[in-house]
Amino acid sequence: MATRKKTPAKPASTAGRPYSSLVVDGLKQSASRAMLRAVGYTDKDFTKPSVGVASTWSNLTPCNMHIDKLAAAAAAGVDSSGGKSTTFGTITVSDGISMGSPGMRFSLVSREVIADSIETVTGAQGFDGVVAIGGCDKNIPGCMMALARLNRPAVFVYGGTIKPGANHTDVISVFEAVGQFANGTISAKQLKQVEKTAIPGPGSCGGMYTANSMASAIEALGMSLPNSSAQEAVSRNKLKDCREAGKAVVKLVKAGIKPSDILSRKAFENAITVVIALGGSTNAVLHLLAIAHEAGIKLELDDFTRIGLKVPVLADVRPSGKYLMSELIRIGGIQPLMKILLEAGLLHGGCMTVTGRTLAENLADVKPYPIDQSIIRPLDKPIKKDSHLVVLYGNLAPEGAVAKITGNEGLTFAGKARCFHGEEAALQAILAGVVQKGDVVVIRYEGPRGGPGMREMLSPTSAINGRGLAKDVALLTDGRFSGGSHGFVIGHVTPEAYDGGPIALIQDGDGITIDAANNKVTLDVSDDELARRKAAWVRPDPYTTRGLLSKYAKLVSSASRGAVTTD
């Protein structure tokens, strides 16, 4: 009697395995299974939900140097909950290291590379779910953009904040110390001491800069577990957060809950509200626009203005305030703040989150802040009664510009333009004492296309602050700002100079008026004169015609649309 040949059995059900079953099930996928056996898969693993753990580990920056351990914890959480984890890597670049150099042109570009790479690996390997772990400014939104595009069950994990440096310092202290040294207010020895002690170990920059702002925004979006944004990088809580994220994504796969069930318009409004209440980075505007674009949610600059009219700034945190993220963590993180906002009717409590519960359900048992804390102000005694993120329009920025006005700077500034083609020329002039009180420093050809890459102007703003000119000099650019920048600074000016926007037509000595109370930025030049200048304007040669930067410049959209590279 002939013996019937056995073929690899197909699992009885592919429920919870909508993508991986296409990769590992059936006779025709024998070669796929053979490859996976070599990396540790067993027969049982082929029947489990397959979860990719996207690690942004790199030892080139403190922000990400520990993420390999966090990725291992997330993978363990997946495996302990009936899933099968596979860890893969993506890139990161360090804003803090590349700041002020030509390398900073690759910073915002890296956001797109990260999103593309996570989408590529997940799509190719057929993961049913994803845990993405980000630590630095651009890999955080890059991870989220990928998760939104893929629309597979997913959890984002923040790598955590750095501990404070000696004498309550952080990375911004170093940048500002450079300006203080140039101004003669500290010695070379003191500068070296700040340099050596301000950054003590792993974790993202310690104030409410871009990393902590975006981590908080993502928690408010519902894409991170509660408290993920408010944990130190080197802590038991952060390792636990990673393990729980691994477990949570398996539950999401089995329940069929995807980012599209979470990333609603109301969820983005929650994220904007939390960023404003925390006094967060202007980069949050750019990144939330980009994430919403990938999620298919219509979000515009004017939404930040609309929401900002009713949301106060409550957190006394750096760069404009006093405290660091580690100190906010010690009083409970952002969960009690979110509960305050929810109870005041400023958050949408019905939004779904990665816990499988609504935002309101997650916050139900959250305890209030200690009575004696001074980091988060009461609603009736805010730092600023409305948003610090101010969207300005006018003949200088017809498509909008974004300012960070906390109130410490005042609400208006009028001065004379001092123009520079690029960051390096401006920084040299500031450090040399060329920039004086009453100047509006104009740094142009730093936009998404013209830079290319929309560099952050942290070095110039820190130099201005270090020289004691923060209240006497404004800075206006088609580039952007680090979350650590503060002072009278206006970025994201659109249209950018490279596209012939009005910022390209400013001349030294032109009057510029910034009116944050009425959301206006005005070049005090007649329409006829601007038309004459526009007719004579010639676009400068591109920074490069080869490689990634050239490709990015051809694809990237306006900053007012989030500087995205997808339609």
Side-chain angles (χ1 to χ4, degrees):
M1 181 177 177
T3 303
R4 188 173 182 180
K5 291 183 179 180
K6 292 183 178 180
T7 58
K10 184 176 181 179
S13 172
T14 60
R17 302 173 52 249
Y19 303 100
S20 63
S21 65
L22 300 175
V23 174
V24 301
D25 287 359
L27 178 63
K28 70 181 181 65
Q29 296 306 125
S30 292
S32 302
R33 292 192 296 275
M35 295 284 283
L36 289 169
R37 290 181 193 280
V39 297
Y41 274 62
T42 66
D43 284 343
K44 288 184 179 180
D45 292 331
F46 296 126
T47 67
K48 298 174 181 177
S50 178
V51 175
V53 178
S55 169
T56 57
W57 172 84
S58 170
N59 67 356
L60 64 81
T61 170
C63 307
N64 293 62
M65 63 188 286
H66 62 302
I67 286 180
D68 55 340
K69 298 179 179 64
L70 302 187
V78 170
D79 295 339
S80 69
S81 298
K84 174 57 181 175
S85 66
T86 301
T87 302
F88 65 97
T90 185
I91 68 160
T92 189
V93 301
S94 172
D95 290 5
I97 295 171
S98 62
M99 195 75 69
S101 78
M104 189 63 189
R105 288 184 169 88
F106 288 91
S107 169
L108 188 58
V109 178
S110 76
R111 185 188 74 177
E112 311 304 306
V113 176
I114 291 160
D116 291 349
S117 68
I118 294 174
E119 179 189 9
T120 298
V121 176
T122 301
Q125 299 304 122
F127 296 133
D128 301 305
V130 186
V131 177
I133 309 172
C136 199
D137 292 7
K138 304 309 168 298
N139 53 64
I140 295 173
C143 286
M144 272 302 306
M145 290 165 68
L147 301 185
R149 279 184 205 168
L150 287 161
N151 197 31
R152 302 184 188 190
V155 177
F156 174 79
V157 178
Y158 177 41
T161 193
I162 197 170
K163 294 179 182 292
N167 301 313
H168 207 243
T169 53
D170 65 0
V171 67
I172 306 305
S173 306
V174 188
F175 281 99
E176 295 188 351
V178 173
Q180 293 165 349
F181 174 72
N183 201 37
T185 53
I186 65 171
S187 67
K189 183 178 180 181
Q190 289 172 308
L191 172 58
K192 188 65 173 288
Q193 183 64 17
V194 174
E195 175 189 323
K196 292 172 69 174
T197 61
I199 305 173
S204 298
C205 301
M208 194 51 64
Y209 313 141
T210 302
N212 282 318
S213 297
M214 284 308 302
S216 300
I218 293 168
E219 183 174 328
L221 275 173
M223 286 297 296
S224 292
L225 294 177
N227 276 326
S228 183
S229 70
Q231 294 162 342
E232 288 185 333
V234 182
S235 67
R236 291 180 179 177
N237 285 337
K238 181 46 65 184
L239 286 171
K240 181 181 178 183
D241 179 41
C242 293
R243 288 191 292 270
E244 293 302 316
K247 296 177 183 179
V249 78
V250 175
K251 292 180 181 178
L252 292 172
V253 170
K254 293 177 178 178
I257 298 174
K258 299 176 290 187
S260 58
D261 299 309
I262 296 170
L263 296 175
S264 63
R265 181 173 173 81
K266 288 182 177 180
F268 279 96
E269 291 181 348
N270 285 346
I272 293 170
T273 296
V274 168
V275 168
I276 292 171
L278 288 169
S281 168
T282 54
N283 277 321
V285 177
L286 194 74
H287 297 324
L288 286 172
L289 287 171
I291 297 167
H293 172 81
E294 300 295 357
I297 300 296
K298 186 177 180 181
L299 195 69
E300 300 175 340
L301 278 176
D302 291 344
D303 289 316
F304 290 82
T305 299
R306 174 180 56 82
I307 294 168
L309 291 173
K310 59 183 181 179
V311 179
V313 179
L314 300 178
D316 185 13
V317 291
R318 290 187 184 179
S320 300
K322 177 181 179 182
Y323 296 98
L324 292 168
M325 190 67 179
S326 287
E327 292 161 306
L328 178 56
I329 290 168
R330 284 198 284 274
I331 65 166
I334 73 165
Q335 289 278 297
L337 171 64
M338 290 173 66
K339 190 166 186 177
I340 291 169
L341 296 170
L342 178 67
E343 291 175 346
L346 297 174
L347 290 180
H348 303 289
C351 292
M352 177 58 67
T353 74
V354 292
T355 64
R357 300 182 298 171
T358 66
L359 183 71
E361 289 170 335
N362 289 343
L363 295 172
D365 296 325
V366 170
K367 296 179 181 179
Y369 290 120
I371 296 175
D372 59 349
Q373 66 86 26
S374 57
I375 302 174
I376 302 295
R377 301 279 185 88
L379 277 170
D380 59 351
K381 294 181 181 179
I383 292 170
K384 190 171 185 286
K385 66 180 180 61
D386 54 10
S387 179
H388 65 301
L389 298 175
V390 181
V391 179
L392 307 172
Y393 292 96
N395 69 339
L396 204 158
E399 295 177 10
V402 179
K404 186 177 183 180
I405 307 295
T406 64
N408 293 333
E409 310 84 355
L411 294 175
T412 61
F413 190 98
K416 299 296 183 182
R418 194 179 291 271
C419 302
F420 301 94
H421 186 137
E423 176 187 5
E424 287 84 357
L427 180 61
Q428 183 178 3
I430 295 165
L431 293 176
V434 173
V435 172
Q436 300 291 322
K437 291 183 178 181
D439 284 346
V440 179
V441 176
V442 177
I443 305 178
R444 55 195 176 195
Y445 298 103
E446 290 285 8
R449 294 186 65 208
M454 205 178 179
R455 288 193 290 179
E456 292 180 348
M457 302 293 119
L458 179 57
S459 294
T461 59
S462 296
I464 288 169
N465 293 330
R467 291 189 68 87
L469 296 171
K471 294 185 178 181
D472 302 304
V473 169
L475 193 151
L476 187 144
T477 181
D478 53 4
R480 58 197 174 91
F481 294 106
S482 162
S485 291
H486 59 105
F488 226 114
V489 296
I490 297 91
H492 307 205
V493 174
T494 54
E496 63 174 285
Y498 192 76
D499 288 336
I503 189 173
L505 311 178
I506 304 171
Q507 296 180 0
D508 284 347
D510 286 347
I512 295 175
T513 302
I514 302 160
D515 182 356
N518 293 295
N519 294 14
K520 291 184 177 180
V521 56
T522 306
L523 179 61
D524 301 329
V525 174
S526 70
D527 291 344
D528 288 345
E529 174 62 13
L530 284 177
R532 185 189 67 77
R533 293 181 188 180
K534 181 64 180 288
W537 174 77
V538 177
R539 173 180 286 158
D541 291 336
Y543 178 77
T544 182
T545 58
R546 300 184 65 185
L548 177 62
L549 292 180
S550 177
K551 179 167 63 174
Y552 178 84
K554 291 181 176 72
L555 293 173
V556 70
S557 72
S558 166
S560 63
R561 294 182 53 221
V564 295
T565 57
T566 56
D567 292 333

